PDB file of all heavy atoms in Angstrom:
ATOM      1  N   ASP A 287      10.505   7.731 -12.324  1.00  0.00           N
ATOM      2  CA  ASP A 287      10.037   8.065 -13.801  1.00  0.00           C
ATOM      3  C   ASP A 287       8.530   7.607 -13.926  1.00  0.00           C
ATOM      4  O   ASP A 287       7.695   8.248 -14.621  1.00  0.00           O
ATOM      5  CB  ASP A 287      10.870   7.377 -14.761  1.00  0.00           C
ATOM      6  CG  ASP A 287      11.058   5.864 -14.588  1.00  0.00           C
ATOM      7  OD1 ASP A 287      10.992   5.419 -13.434  1.00  0.00           O
ATOM      8  OD2 ASP A 287      11.115   5.140 -15.555  1.00  0.00           O
ATOM      9  N   VAL A 288       8.214   6.421 -13.232  1.00  0.00           N
ATOM     10  CA  VAL A 288       6.858   5.934 -13.345  1.00  0.00           C
ATOM     11  C   VAL A 288       5.935   6.800 -12.560  1.00  0.00           C
ATOM     12  O   VAL A 288       4.799   7.241 -13.080  1.00  0.00           O
ATOM     13  CB  VAL A 288       6.858   4.425 -12.833  1.00  0.00           C
ATOM     14  CG1 VAL A 288       5.479   3.964 -12.673  1.00  0.00           C
ATOM     15  CG2 VAL A 288       7.633   3.564 -13.845  1.00  0.00           C
ATOM     16  N   ALA A 289       6.300   7.181 -11.353  1.00  0.00           N
ATOM     17  CA  ALA A 289       5.462   8.122 -10.525  1.00  0.00           C
ATOM     18  C   ALA A 289       5.256   9.500 -11.342  1.00  0.00           C
ATOM     19  O   ALA A 289       4.114   9.943 -11.398  1.00  0.00           O
ATOM     20  CB  ALA A 289       6.054   8.327  -9.251  1.00  0.00           C
ATOM     21  N   ALA A 290       6.331   9.986 -11.944  1.00  0.00           N
ATOM     22  CA  ALA A 290       6.209  11.198 -12.572  1.00  0.00           C
ATOM     23  C   ALA A 290       5.325  11.099 -13.803  1.00  0.00           C
ATOM     24  O   ALA A 290       4.611  11.970 -14.165  1.00  0.00           O
ATOM     25  CB  ALA A 290       7.610  11.795 -12.931  1.00  0.00           C
ATOM     26  N   GLY A 291       5.499   9.963 -14.471  1.00  0.00           N
ATOM     27  CA  GLY A 291       4.734   9.714 -15.755  1.00  0.00           C
ATOM     28  C   GLY A 291       3.152   9.789 -15.407  1.00  0.00           C
ATOM     29  O   GLY A 291       2.400  10.387 -16.135  1.00  0.00           O
ATOM     30  N   ILE A 292       2.792   9.174 -14.320  1.00  0.00           N
ATOM     31  CA  ILE A 292       1.423   9.091 -13.899  1.00  0.00           C
ATOM     32  C   ILE A 292       0.948  10.567 -13.475  1.00  0.00           C
ATOM     33  O   ILE A 292      -0.112  11.072 -13.903  1.00  0.00           O
ATOM     34  CB  ILE A 292       1.098   8.084 -12.826  1.00  0.00           C
ATOM     35  CG1 ILE A 292       1.373   6.638 -13.395  1.00  0.00           C
ATOM     36  CG2 ILE A 292      -0.255   8.145 -12.163  1.00  0.00           C
ATOM     37  CD1 ILE A 292       1.286   5.598 -12.410  1.00  0.00           C
ATOM     38  N   HIS A 293       1.768  11.125 -12.649  1.00  0.00           N
ATOM     39  CA  HIS A 293       1.504  12.406 -12.019  1.00  0.00           C
ATOM     40  C   HIS A 293       1.279  13.497 -13.127  1.00  0.00           C
ATOM     41  O   HIS A 293       0.329  14.211 -13.205  1.00  0.00           O
ATOM     42  CB  HIS A 293       2.495  12.882 -11.076  1.00  0.00           C
ATOM     43  CG  HIS A 293       2.370  14.207 -10.478  1.00  0.00           C
ATOM     44  ND1 HIS A 293       2.823  15.331 -11.055  1.00  0.00           N
ATOM     45  CD2 HIS A 293       1.785  14.579  -9.385  1.00  0.00           C
ATOM     46  CE1 HIS A 293       2.506  16.358 -10.356  1.00  0.00           C
ATOM     47  NE2 HIS A 293       1.759  15.935  -9.300  1.00  0.00           N
ATOM     48  N   ASP A 294       2.153  13.518 -14.097  1.00  0.00           N
ATOM     49  CA  ASP A 294       2.114  14.465 -15.138  1.00  0.00           C
ATOM     50  C   ASP A 294       0.881  14.432 -16.062  1.00  0.00           C
ATOM     51  O   ASP A 294       0.378  15.397 -16.470  1.00  0.00           O
ATOM     52  CB  ASP A 294       3.356  14.504 -16.001  1.00  0.00           C
ATOM     53  CG  ASP A 294       4.623  14.851 -15.163  1.00  0.00           C
ATOM     54  OD1 ASP A 294       4.499  15.367 -13.999  1.00  0.00           O
ATOM     55  OD2 ASP A 294       5.778  14.692 -15.621  1.00  0.00           O
TER      56      ASP A 294
END
Side-chain angles (χ1 to χ4, degrees):
D287 59 328
V288 169
I292 293 175
H293 177 272
D294 294 349

